[in-house]
């Protein structure tokens, strides 16, 4: 069914393209007739033909506009009907402008090409029908001329009846054979195209099936990560609580050596809980099941709070922190999640900036948007790595102890707010991470 819909859409587009081509053709011919009129040329048969083409093209355009939904057989039938009119129009044009010597004779080839490679590539046999009809119709016009029913508008036609008969016979054989040769050629190539198209469709179906399987696997993986993270947090919380009780001496006295081991264990449990929390949150963010608590807040104040909370870590490396927060830049966001974005970006900036370096944090008013940035003069990132850094489990420095989840969480949070996050960086020249958030009403 979906394949029929795509086919209908494809043929409908070609139907409309043919309408536009006819309009362009009518406009050019009308211009030529206007020139011919001022030059006192006989343009009467041409005017009748122009009216005929304009009339059926307007009818085609009206059908296209008024009928919104087509069945496959309907759009195919319409294409056949209007291609039939095109063949008639071109045949008459050739006939009235000088038989085979007509400069428009090549339009027959174009029509057969269109029928074979374009509209009717699914039904290659149509090229033979068009070629047969073209030859038959043209031979009928020649017979009408020979019997004296139709004139041919050709100034140098001064032949005896016998010469006319010989000329008609020769031209008839030439045209009939030409049409058949063209038809066979186009039929052969359209068959090849059809075979390649079928092979391509088969590959596309296989690819779509693989993509669906990958989506299912990815969904199952996300569900597993979410469930495992959730289930592991509870026992880890109990273990941490027990370790804290022992560390504080509530369960009995311990020595200094035991206290250091317990402190190390508690810190590593906290780190593991943080990793599980990030995994669970990232899974919820990607599944759009993460609930935002939207409030109208000043973005600058959120950034200042994050800056204050990271001052101690910056001082430990003697890194200068610069506050460039704008004032009064308010919008609807979840303050805790935007704070989380600032913290992650600041933590990375401090981590990858050498001692005595600088980190600048600021916000800017961009009209309908608010731009927030964290800029440093640290180690920087290679250009080829930048497109991947916001993906999960990707670290731009393999020596770091991070999990590669922080920037993926930042991207998810910002995108859930209707914004976008990017990075600019050069190795040894520092990095600039910035995200934009829309102003306006509660979303």
């Amino acid at each position: 069914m979906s394949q029929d819909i795509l086919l209908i859409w494809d043929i409908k587009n070609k139907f409309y393209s043919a309408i536009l081509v006819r309009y362009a053709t009518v406009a050019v011919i009308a211009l030529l007739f206007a020139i011919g009129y001022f030059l006192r040329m006989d343009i009467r048969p041409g005017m009748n033909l122009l009216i005929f083409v304009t009339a059926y093209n307007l009818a085609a355009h009206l059908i296209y506009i008024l009928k919104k939904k087509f069945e496959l057989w309907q759009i195919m039938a319409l294409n056949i009907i209007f291609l039939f009119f095109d063949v008639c129009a071109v045949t008459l044009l050739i006939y009235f402008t000088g038989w085979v010597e007509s400069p428009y004779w090549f339009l027959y080839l174009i029509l057969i090409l269109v029928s074979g490679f374009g509209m009717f590539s699914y039904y290659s046999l149509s090229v033979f029908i068009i070629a047969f009809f073209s030859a038959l119709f043209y031979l009928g016009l020649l017979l009408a001329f020979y019997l004296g029913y139709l004139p041919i508008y050709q100034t140098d036609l001064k032949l005896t009846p016998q010469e006319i008969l010989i000329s008609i016979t020769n031209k008839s054989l030439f045209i009939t054979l030409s049409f058949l040769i063209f038809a066979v050629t186009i039929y052969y190539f359209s068959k090849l195209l059809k075979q390649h198209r079928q092979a391509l469709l088969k590959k596309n179906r296989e690819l779509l099936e693989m993509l669906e399987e990958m989506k299912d696997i990815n969904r199952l993986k996300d569900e597993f990560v979410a469930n495992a993270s959730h289930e592991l947090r509870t026992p880890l919380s109990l273990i941490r609580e027990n370790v804290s009780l022992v560390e504080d001496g509530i369960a009995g006295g311990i020595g200094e050596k035991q206290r250091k081991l317990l402190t190390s264990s508690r810190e590593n449990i906290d780190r593991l809980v943080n990793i599980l929390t990030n995994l669970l949150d990232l899974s919820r963010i990607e599944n759009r099941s993460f609930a935002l608590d939207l409030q109208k807040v000043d973005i600058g104040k959120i950034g200042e709070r994050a800056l204050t909370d990271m001052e101690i870590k910056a001082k430990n490396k003697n890194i200068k922190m610069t506050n460039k927060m704008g004032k009064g830049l308010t919008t609807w966001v979840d303050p805790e999640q935007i704070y989380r974005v600032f913290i992650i970006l600041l933590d990375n900036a401090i981590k990858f900036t050498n001692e005595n370096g600088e980190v600048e944090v600021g916000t800017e008013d961009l009209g309908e948007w608010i731009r927030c940035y964290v800029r440093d003069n640290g180690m920087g990132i290679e250009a080829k790595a930048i497109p991947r850094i916001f993906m999960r489990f990707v670290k731009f420095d393999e020596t770091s102890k991070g999990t590669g989840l922080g920037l993926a969480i930042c991207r998810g949070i910002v995108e859930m707010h209707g914004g976008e996050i990017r990075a600019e960086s050069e190795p040894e020249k520092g990095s600039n991470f910035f995200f934009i958030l829309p102003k306006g009403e509660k979303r």
Side-chain angles (χ1 to χ4, degrees):
M1 185 64 183
S2 58
Q3 206 169 356
D4 283 350
I5 293 172
L6 290 174
L7 182 55
I8 291 168
W9 179 80
D10 182 48
I11 298 176
K12 188 178 177 182
N13 283 342
K14 289 171 180 173
F15 183 74
Y16 183 67
S17 298
I19 293 172
L20 297 180
V21 169
R22 289 190 202 101
Y23 278 136
T25 304
V26 166
V28 171
I29 294 175
L31 178 62
L32 293 175
F33 282 174
I35 295 171
Y37 177 78
F38 285 110
L39 295 177
R40 300 181 182 278
M41 297 173 64
D42 188 0
I43 59 172
R44 285 173 297 169
M47 285 299 297
N48 294 333
L49 184 59
L50 186 66
I51 293 169
F52 169 65
V53 174
T54 304
Y56 76 73
N57 198 46
L58 285 172
H61 202 171
L62 283 173
I63 293 171
Y64 180 85
I65 293 171
L66 297 177
K67 190 167 180 59
K68 302 297 182 182
K69 189 175 180 181
F70 288 93
E71 298 292 335
L72 181 59
W73 70 269
Q74 292 174 332
I75 193 67
M76 287 295 300
L78 284 173
N79 272 298
I80 292 170
I81 290 168
F82 287 103
L83 186 61
F84 169 79
F85 287 146
D86 286 338
V87 170
C88 291
V90 173
T91 303
L92 289 169
L93 181 65
I94 293 171
Y95 176 81
F96 285 124
T97 54
W99 296 19
V100 179
E101 289 79 9
S102 168
Y104 305 107
W105 190 82
F106 73 94
L107 289 176
Y108 266 124
L109 177 58
I110 293 176
L111 281 174
I112 297 176
L113 283 169
V114 168
S115 68
F117 289 117
M119 297 179 186
F120 301 100
S121 55
Y122 286 87
Y123 304 97
S124 305
L125 195 62
S126 61
V127 296
F128 286 107
I129 299 172
I130 293 169
F132 176 75
F133 171 77
S134 301
L136 193 64
F137 186 44
Y138 191 79
L139 293 176
L141 292 173
L142 292 179
L143 180 61
F145 164 72
Y146 180 73
L147 296 176
Y149 296 122
L150 282 177
I152 288 183
Y153 288 78
Q154 187 175 359
T155 55
D156 60 347
L157 188 62
K158 297 178 181 178
L159 303 174
T160 64
Q162 185 64 26
E163 289 172 333
I164 290 174
L165 182 60
I166 293 171
S167 178
I168 288 175
T169 303
N170 292 336
K171 293 177 188 302
S172 300
L173 289 172
F174 173 76
I175 289 173
T176 305
L177 289 174
S178 297
F179 286 155
L180 288 175
I181 290 170
F182 288 148
V184 170
T185 304
I186 302 305
Y187 177 78
Y188 173 72
F189 282 109
S190 61
K191 276 289 186 183
L192 289 178
L193 282 176
K194 186 175 180 181
Q195 290 174 3
H196 287 299
R197 176 178 286 184
Q198 289 173 343
L200 185 60
L201 285 173
K202 183 180 177 181
K203 293 292 183 183
N204 286 340
R205 282 195 296 270
E206 292 174 355
L207 181 60
L208 287 173
E209 289 173 1
M210 290 175 62
L211 287 173
E212 288 299 322
E213 289 178 4
M214 290 176 67
K215 285 181 181 178
D216 290 339
I217 293 170
N218 195 50
R219 179 180 55 80
L220 291 172
K221 179 195 67 177
D222 289 341
E223 289 177 359
F224 170 77
V225 169
N227 292 333
S229 301
H230 180 74
E231 293 298 327
L232 286 171
R233 286 175 67 187
T234 301
L236 281 173
S237 297
L238 291 173
I239 293 170
R240 186 193 185 283
E241 185 64 25
N242 292 336
V243 169
S244 297
L245 290 173
V246 176
E247 182 185 9
D248 294 338
I250 296 174
I254 57 172
E256 189 62 29
K257 189 174 182 180
Q258 288 89 346
R259 188 181 305 280
K260 287 182 179 179
L261 290 172
L262 289 169
T263 300
S264 176
S265 298
R266 177 176 51 79
E267 289 175 351
N268 278 286
I269 290 170
D270 288 341
R271 182 169 174 267
L272 185 56
V273 169
N274 185 57
I275 292 172
L276 292 174
T277 300
N278 286 339
L279 278 170
L280 185 59
D281 287 349
L282 184 58
S283 179
R284 288 173 177 170
I285 288 169
E286 291 180 346
N287 292 330
R288 292 295 185 265
S289 59
F290 192 89
L292 294 176
D293 180 19
L294 296 177
Q295 301 174 31
K296 191 171 185 180
V297 296
D298 188 326
I299 298 294
K301 290 182 179 179
I302 299 176
E304 287 175 352
R305 175 186 159 202
L307 196 63
T308 301
D309 292 345
M310 296 299 292
E311 276 183 356
I312 296 175
K313 187 170 184 177
K315 283 181 180 179
N316 291 336
K317 292 183 70 173
N318 199 27
I319 291 174
K320 180 184 176 182
M321 304 278 276
T322 305
N323 184 348
K324 294 280 187 174
M325 298 293 176
K327 301 295 182 182
L329 298 178
T330 61
T331 188
W332 288 89
V333 296
D334 185 328
E336 290 305 315
Q337 297 307 320
I338 297 301
Y339 166 79
R340 188 177 185 182
V341 174
F342 273 113
I343 287 292
I344 292 171
L345 296 181
L346 279 168
D347 184 62
N348 283 342
I350 295 169
K351 184 188 299 182
F352 298 108
T353 300
N354 297 325
E355 291 189 6
N356 303 314
E358 295 183 9
V359 173
E360 181 181 310
V361 188
T363 57
E364 297 172 339
D365 189 348
L366 299 182
E368 296 181 358
W369 299 83
I370 298 172
R371 184 174 183 266
C372 310
Y373 65 88
V374 175
R375 190 178 297 144
D376 64 68
N377 62 350
M379 60 183 289
I381 310 168
E382 292 184 1
K384 64 181 181 180
I386 290 178
R388 300 179 62 248
I389 59 176
F390 292 103
M391 298 170 63
R392 60 164 78 182
F393 305 116
V394 172
K395 298 188 289 184
F396 49 87
D397 179 17
E398 296 300 329
T399 62
S400 66
K401 295 181 180 180
T403 58
L405 295 174
L407 291 178
I409 290 173
C410 287
R411 184 187 66 177
I413 291 172
V414 171
E415 289 179 352
M416 285 182 70
H417 283 84
E420 186 178 347
I421 187 168
R422 293 184 184 176
E424 298 171 347
S425 184
E426 289 185 44
E428 308 304 326
K429 291 186 178 180
S431 303
N432 178 24
F433 283 81
F434 61 92
F435 60 95
I436 56 173
L437 298 170
K439 289 182 183 178
E441 300 299 322
K442 186 176 181 180
R443 293 174 291 281

